[in-house]
Amino acid sequence: MKNLERFAPFLLITISLVVAGFFACVATSRTLTHLESVILQTLSLLTGLGGSFIFGRQSAREAAREIIKPHARSAFRRLLSLYQSLSRVATTIESSQNFESPVENQVTLAKLEAIVVEQLASADDAIEDWKDIVPEDVEDLDQRFSSDKTTRD
């Protein structure tokens, strides 16, 4: 199926050129009727347009992938960083359940606070990465979060 999608535009454009060549050969050897002329020209036009459309869509899709790929890579790195940071929070919380000393609890809370600050910084960087790709959507999210924040305060 992928091979068909890849070669379909070339096949359609080739058919268009063959029909145009056939039209030219027949037109030089005899006079074509109006119906023959219209059918051959329409067939050539439609196959050429179809091939051009499919080829253009494939080219646009690949160009979009190449443009988005660096942004997606950096956003994925941020996601991994957040995931690792959340794993550290879970580990710290689990290990802190056995503490009885207030000093140990304060140290654990300080660690958790540092990890959360780190996560927020990574999330802010990820949001900046996405602003490059979809600024309107990020702005909508910012407005939604700021309105949620004001209703909680």
Side-chain angles (χ1 to χ4, degrees), residues 5-143:
E5 286 180 23
R6 183 178 299 148
F7 295 112
F10 297 112
L11 179 65
L12 288 173
I13 291 172
T14 302
I15 291 171
S16 172
L17 292 173
V18 168
V19 169
F22 176 74
F23 174 71
C25 287
V26 171
T28 58
S29 65
R30 68 176 177 87
T31 304
L32 295 173
T33 65
H34 292 296
L35 180 61
E36 290 173 328
S37 180
V38 167
I39 288 174
L40 288 174
Q41 288 177 4
T42 303
L43 183 62
S44 178
L45 176 69
L46 291 178
T47 55
L49 286 175
S52 298
F53 174 77
I54 294 170
F55 185 73
R57 189 174 58 190
Q58 288 175 352
S59 297
R61 188 178 302 137
E62 291 197 20
R65 263 194 207 117
E66 291 303 314
I67 290 171
I68 295 294
K69 196 179 286 186
H71 297 291
R73 230 182 260 131
S74 65
F76 187 69
R77 278 193 300 268
R78 304 255 188 250
L79 178 65
L80 285 176
S81 172
L82 288 170
Y83 181 78
Q84 291 168 346
S85 187
L86 285 171
S87 295
R88 287 191 295 275
V89 167
T91 303
T92 304
I93 289 171
E94 190 171 320
S95 67
S96 70
Q97 292 176 356
N98 298 329
F99 295 151
E100 294 179 14
S101 162
V103 174
E104 289 177 321
N105 286 332
Q106 286 178 345
V107 169
T108 301
L109 283 175
K111 283 182 187 178
L112 289 173
E113 182 181 11
I115 293 171
V116 168
V117 167
E118 173 190 351
Q119 288 176 343
L120 289 173
S122 288
D124 288 341
D125 290 342
I127 288 172
E128 287 300 317
D129 290 342
W130 284 108
K131 270 187 187 175
D132 294 340
I133 301 170
V134 284
E136 299 85 16
D137 295 337
V138 173
E139 188 176 312
D140 289 345
L141 282 175
D142 282 343
Q143 289 175 354

